[in-house]
């Protein structure tokens, strides 16, 4: 049946008839058989949570023990109804409980049990701050419906940052060359340089001369 639409679209008229009233008749026939195909497949589509109408979706949810919480989007509601059986089957194991979060669009979570210095009945769910902010009601609904009996759940919120690191390598060679001098006798020539230093000095004796006054007269 899914191949019927593809076969219907491939119907074409010969080039000398692909115009005018024959082309109009072909388009009308295609629309008619597409309508007949929709009528025939409608009952089957109502059994699929992805395509059924919302009233029938509520009936499927009741059969599968799914209750819609306040302000739940229709797309998420359909997804919870669709995976109801497999989620109920996986709820008894740690790996299955992680898969439930993945199927419902929460993403990857970590589950830690029996941690040191924490009560043995406490199960820690390690999630990111974005997962809690975007899915607060869904997380509570998953724990309430698929969580273990007589267990308490505690959130461990982590925030991840992405950073880039450039890695390179540096290499070098260190070489040390040394030289040695063999033990040989060293000769040192010592010479004496001498000179005579003569210093001549002169003494100027002080001579005291008395003051004298000479007089003269004009005749």
């Amino acid at each position: 049946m899914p191949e019927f639409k593809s076969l219907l679209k491939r119907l074409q008229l010969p080039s000398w008839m692909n115009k005018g009233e024959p082309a109009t008749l072909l388009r009308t026939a295609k629309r008619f058989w597409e309508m007949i195909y929709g009528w025939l497949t409608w009952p089957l589509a109502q059994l699929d949570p992805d395509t059924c109408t919302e009233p029938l979706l509520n009936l499927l949810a009741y059969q599968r023990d799914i209750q819609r919480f306040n302000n739940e989007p229709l797309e998420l509601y359909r997804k919870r109804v669709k995976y109801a059986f497999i989620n109920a089957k996986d709820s008894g194991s740690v790996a299955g409980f992680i898969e439930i979060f993945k199927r419902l669009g929460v993403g990857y979570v970590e589950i830690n049990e029996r941690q040191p210095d924490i009560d043995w009945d406490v199960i820690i769910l390690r999630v990111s701050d974005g997962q809690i902010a975007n899915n607060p009601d869904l997380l509570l609904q998953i724990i309430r419906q698929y969580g273990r009996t007589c267990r308490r759940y505690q959130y461990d919120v982590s925030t991840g940052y992405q950073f880039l690191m450039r890695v390179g390598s540096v290499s070098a060679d260190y070489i040390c060359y040394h030289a040695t001098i063999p033990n040989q006798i060293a000769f040192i020539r010592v010479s004496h340089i001498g000179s005579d230093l003569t210093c001549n000095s002169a003494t100027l004796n002080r001579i005291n001369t008395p003051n004298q006054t000479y007089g003269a007269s004009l005749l």
Side-chain angles (χ1 to χ4, degrees):
M1 294 296 289
E3 299 177 356
F4 178 78
K5 284 189 175 181
S6 61
L7 294 174
L8 194 62
K9 291 180 179 179
R10 289 201 297 265
L11 289 177
Q12 293 182 356
L13 294 174
S15 59
W16 62 87
M17 297 180 62
N18 193 14
K19 61 179 63 177
E21 293 182 357
T24 304
L25 181 61
L26 177 62
R27 291 193 296 268
T28 304
K30 285 184 178 181
R31 288 196 295 267
F32 173 76
W33 286 110
E34 286 178 356
M35 184 175 59
I36 296 299
Y37 177 80
W39 291 347
L40 295 176
T41 57
W42 185 85
L44 297 177
Q46 304 313 304
L47 300 178
D48 187 0
D50 292 331
T51 57
C52 67
T53 59
E54 190 169 350
L56 289 178
L57 180 63
N58 295 330
L59 179 60
L60 293 177
Y62 174 78
Q63 293 176 349
R64 303 178 185 186
D65 193 22
I66 299 296
Q67 295 180 358
R68 190 174 186 179
F69 54 83
N70 295 331
N71 300 324
E72 181 179 8
L74 181 60
E75 181 180 359
L76 178 59
Y77 185 40
R78 292 183 182 274
K79 191 179 296 185
R80 291 178 57 218
V81 175
K82 178 180 179 180
Y83 296 114
F85 293 124
I86 187 64
N87 288 343
K89 180 181 177 181
D90 289 343
S91 60
S93 62
V94 175
F97 201 56
I98 294 175
E99 291 297 324
I100 293 174
F101 287 95
K102 290 183 180 179
R103 293 190 194 102
L104 299 182
V106 177
Y108 177 75
V109 300
E110 294 183 6
I111 299 178
N112 299 319
E113 299 179 336
R114 301 182 184 276
Q115 297 299 304
D117 301 329
I118 298 178
D119 294 340
W120 64 271
D121 62 333
V122 174
I123 298 177
I124 298 177
L125 293 178
R126 181 169 296 175
V127 295
S128 65
D129 53 352
Q131 290 173 327
I132 292 182
N134 298 330
N135 309 282
D137 297 328
L138 178 59
L139 292 176
L140 294 177
Q141 185 66 27
I142 293 175
I143 295 174
R144 184 181 299 111
Q145 187 169 5
Y146 302 111
R148 297 187 184 182
T149 307
C150 300
R151 292 293 187 273
R152 293 180 294 166
Y153 286 85
Q154 178 178 334
Y155 291 135
D156 185 6
V157 182
S158 60
T159 303
Y161 292 95
Q162 182 180 3
F163 65 94
L164 302 177
M165 179 182 297
R166 179 173 296 178
V167 179
S169 62
V170 178
S171 61
D173 296 332
Y174 179 78
I175 302 175
C176 180
Y177 297 98
H178 67 280
T180 58
I181 301 177
N183 296 329
Q184 295 181 356
I185 300 175
F187 296 95
I188 300 176
R189 178 176 293 178
V190 180
S191 61
H192 174 70
I193 299 176
S195 63
D196 296 333
L197 180 61
T198 304
C199 182
N200 297 322
S201 61
T203 303
L204 180 62
N205 295 326
R206 181 178 178 181
I207 300 176
N208 296 323
T209 303
N211 295 327
Q212 293 180 1
T213 304
Y214 296 93
S217 60
L218 182 61
L219 295 179

